[in-house]
């Protein structure tokens, strides 16, 4: 099976991990701050907090922004469930903004309309999580204007997008947001096995996220409520978690980061090959906004239902049978039974997300995808769609 996504591990990556295994530190030691500093420098952010997953990063980001019971969090329905679950972890309620029919990112006009309505009902969101779907940035400048007008905070879910850019600045620099999070799951652009990171330019958010990562405990005398009892002394000031990244993971991430540009260039090249090879087929190829440079975590096409001899479901079954590991990203989050039981989200509020979900299919795209394998994907698509 040709997988839709896959990590690429070099001998240098392996050597970096082995070196940590032979050192004195396994869990958070010297490699974690090195990795944090390296990612922060790379994307132009001031502070970074490495954690054990992007899911954890989203959680501590929401907590740092003060999200709690009685608040609302809004995000895109076409995302992984983690983009929404972080709101529920904090006791907040979650709602969704329909997507843009071209970029599949959260639609800014739909957001503006929904905000106007929410203001009347006194239900404005405290936090908005725009998701840079497939690696292409959302319209952040417009979203920032709306956040200033309505007073919500912004967490960019850039799980797909490290190495991408918006208005010629790296994603992660937080030019239009409070916090950006990255995922280092093996199918993403670069990996630490499991892992994530939250980046910010605000020192207060940075310190809060650091505390939530590790039990809400401080060893900083300046922050303690009472005098220190001795060198062993620490105080728990908040209810935090153990979301720490290990040094083993950080060493892998640091080594992988050396090849970030290479990873993204290759993904963009492969996307270009698909763009050209699929242009005669009844498929809608990924639109690219001129403001963005996508990291191409995913290459998603939509079956052009009015012209195609095969439906998305036919295509999916045929390709899987041919040994091609296509996938569908994502099932709209509001359709998940857990979300339906909580809140009867109506599909008619999400016309574009529904249309997208009916027709979308993710083709294999990853650093190690060989030309012959990609050619086989193209030929299989031609065979069924030119019939
Ligand atoms: C992968 C992903 C996450 C979660 O990442 P983990 O590191 O697996 O926790 C969150 N949001 C989006 C959009 C993702 O694709």
């Amino acid at each position: 099976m040709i997988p839709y996504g896959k990590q690429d591990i070099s001998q240098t990556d392996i050597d970096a991990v082995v070196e940590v295994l032979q050192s004195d530190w396994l869990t958070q030691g010297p490699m974690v701050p090195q990795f944090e500093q390296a990612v922060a420098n790379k994307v132009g952010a001031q502070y970074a907090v490495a954690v054990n997953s992007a899911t954890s990063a989203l959680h501590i980001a929401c907590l740092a922004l003060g999200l709690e019971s009685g608040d609302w969090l809004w995000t895109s329905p076409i995302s992984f469930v983690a983009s929404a679950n972080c709101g529920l972890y904090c006791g907040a309620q979650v709602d969704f903004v329909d997507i843009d029919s071209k970029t599949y990112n959260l639609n800014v006009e739909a957001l503006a309309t929904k905000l106007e309505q929410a203001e009347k009902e006194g239900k404005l969101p405290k936090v908005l999580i725009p998701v840079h779907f497939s690696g292409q940035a959302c319209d952040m400048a417009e979203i920032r204007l709306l956040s200033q007008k309505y007073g919500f905070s912004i967490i960019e879910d850039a799980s797909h997008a490290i190495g991408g850019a918006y208005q010629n600045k790296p994603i992660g620099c937080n030019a239009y947001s409070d916090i950006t999070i990255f995922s280092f799951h093996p199918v993403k652009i670069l990996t630490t096995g499991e892992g994530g990171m939250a980046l910010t330019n605000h020192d207060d958010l940075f310190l809060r996220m650091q505390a939530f990562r590790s039990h809400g405990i401080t060893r900083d005398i300046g922050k303690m409520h009472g005098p220190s009892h001795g060198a062993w002394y620490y105080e728990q000031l908040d209810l935090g978690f153990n979301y720490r990244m290990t040094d083993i993971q950080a060493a892998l991430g640091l080594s992988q980061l050396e090849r970030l540009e290479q990873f993204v260039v290759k993904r963009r090249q492969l996307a270009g090959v698909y763009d050209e090879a699929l242009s005669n087929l009844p498929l809608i190829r990924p639109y690219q906004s001129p403001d963005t440079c996508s990291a191409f975590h995913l290459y998603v096409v939509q079956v052009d239902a009015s012209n195609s001899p095969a439906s998305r479901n036919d295509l999916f079954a045929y390709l899987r049978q041919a040994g091609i590991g296509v996938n569908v990203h994502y099932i709209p989050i509001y359709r998940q039974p857990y979300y339906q039981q909580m809140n009867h989200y109506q599909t008619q509020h999400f016309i574009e997300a529904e249309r997208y979900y009916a027709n979308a299919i993710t083709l294999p795209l990853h650093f190690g995808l060989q030309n012959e394998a990609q050619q086989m994907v193209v030929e299989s698509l031609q065979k069924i769609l030119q019939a």
Side-chain angles (χ1 to χ4, degrees):
M1 184 80 81
I2 303 170
Y4 86 84
K6 188 173 186 263
Q7 71 277 11
D8 187 83
I9 301 296
S10 68
Q11 189 57 48
T12 312
D13 294 339
I14 293 169
D15 294 344
V17 168
V18 169
E19 200 172 314
V20 170
L21 288 172
Q22 291 165 337
S23 78
D24 290 337
W25 295 91
L26 292 185
T27 189
Q28 193 172 311
M31 297 311 290
V32 167
Q34 268 188 55
F35 181 41
E36 289 171 335
Q37 195 58 54
V39 175
N41 288 347
K42 178 77 83 182
V43 302
Q46 220 148 6
Y47 306 107
V49 180
V51 284
N52 58 0
S53 70
T55 303
S56 301
L58 285 163
H59 187 193
I60 60 171
C62 287
L63 288 171
L65 289 166
L67 190 73
E68 59 187 14
S69 164
D71 292 332
W72 284 89
L73 176 145
W74 290 4
T75 188
S76 170
I78 298 298
S79 185
F80 186 54
V81 292
S83 308
N85 286 345
C86 54
L88 303 182
Y89 296 157
C90 298
Q93 295 192 75
V94 170
D95 205 354
F96 302 94
V97 182
D98 201 6
I99 60 166
D100 179 88
S101 61
K102 281 161 80 182
T103 63
Y104 317 141
N105 279 330
L106 176 153
N107 180 313
V108 175
E109 278 166 42
L111 174 63
T113 308
K114 197 175 170 77
L115 285 165
E116 228 172 274
Q117 188 61 33
E119 186 175 43
K120 287 184 197 136
E121 295 168 7
K123 284 163 68 175
L124 282 170
K126 183 164 200 166
V127 171
L128 178 78
I129 304 191
V131 180
H132 301 322
F133 181 80
S134 76
Q136 175 168 230
C138 298
D139 196 347
M140 293 308 300
E142 292 294 320
I143 292 172
R144 183 44 125 191
L145 289 176
L146 289 168
S147 88
Q148 284 159 347
K149 180 167 175 195
Y150 292 99
F152 56 85
S153 301
I154 302 171
I155 302 169
E156 295 176 62
D157 184 343
S159 292
H160 300 180
I162 191 169
Y166 173 69
Q167 293 181 344
N168 296 316
K169 287 199 204 108
I171 290 175
C173 72
N174 294 297
Y176 299 103
S177 63
D178 300 283
I179 298 170
T180 298
I181 71 105
F182 292 135
S183 171
F184 307 126
H185 181 279
V187 297
K188 306 290 162 72
I189 309 284
L190 61 86
T191 192
T192 60
E194 293 274 6
M197 198 175 279
L199 296 105
T200 185
N201 297 331
H202 297 282
D203 52 2
D204 56 327
L205 294 175
F206 167 61
L207 293 172
R208 285 168 66 76
M209 290 194 290
Q210 264 195 337
F212 283 121
R213 165 174 66 183
S214 198
H215 309 282
I217 279 172
T218 187
R219 291 179 183 275
D220 180 347
I221 290 173
K223 293 209 191 84
M224 289 184 184
H225 288 207
S228 171
H229 302 176
W232 66 87
Y233 193 66
Y234 55 83
E235 286 188 355
Q236 183 189 342
L237 304 177
D238 238 316
L239 184 60
F241 305 86
N242 179 355
Y243 283 168
R244 290 187 304 267
M245 176 179 275
T246 66
D247 255 30
I248 306 167
Q249 294 167 306
L252 178 54
L254 199 55
S255 175
Q256 287 252 306
L257 189 64
E258 296 279 323
R259 292 192 289 155
L260 178 61
E261 284 82 6
Q262 225 179 307
F263 286 154
V264 171
V265 164
K266 183 67 190 289
R267 283 174 175 277
R268 291 180 58 81
Q269 266 171 8
L270 291 166
V273 170
Y274 275 139
D275 278 343
E276 213 171 296
L278 306 180
S279 62
N280 297 322
L281 298 178
L283 295 172
I284 301 162
R285 290 161 293 146
Y287 165 82
Q288 298 297 296
S289 149
D291 261 355
T292 67
C293 179
S294 175
F296 268 105
H297 163 53
L298 300 174
Y299 190 91
V300 176
V301 293
Q302 279 196 83
V303 175
D304 181 356
S306 56
N307 281 319
S308 174
S311 70
R312 191 278 309 275
N313 289 3
D314 295 340
L315 195 59
F316 186 94
Y318 176 84
L319 292 170
R320 277 280 177 102
Q321 204 142 42
I324 297 167
V326 286
N327 214 321
V328 174
H329 296 96
Y330 293 91
I331 306 158
I333 300 172
Y334 54 76
R335 279 179 164 249
Q336 295 295 348
Y338 188 82
Y339 277 82
Q340 279 298 325
Q341 280 157 19
M342 204 166 32
N343 227 325
H344 296 283
Y345 300 96
Q346 311 268 309
T347 53
Q348 72 259 28
H349 293 151
F350 307 104
I351 292 168
E352 295 302 337
E354 287 292 306
R355 197 194 328 263
Y356 168 86
Y357 179 54
N359 297 315
I361 186 164
T362 305
L363 305 182
L365 177 67
H366 52 88
F367 182 75
L369 183 65
Q370 300 293 314
N371 293 343
E372 308 80 66
Q374 189 177 28
Q375 205 45 45
M376 187 186 136
V377 177
V378 168
E379 281 164 19
S380 300
L381 283 163
Q382 285 167 339
K383 218 178 277 173
I384 183 169
L385 292 174
Q386 282 173 343

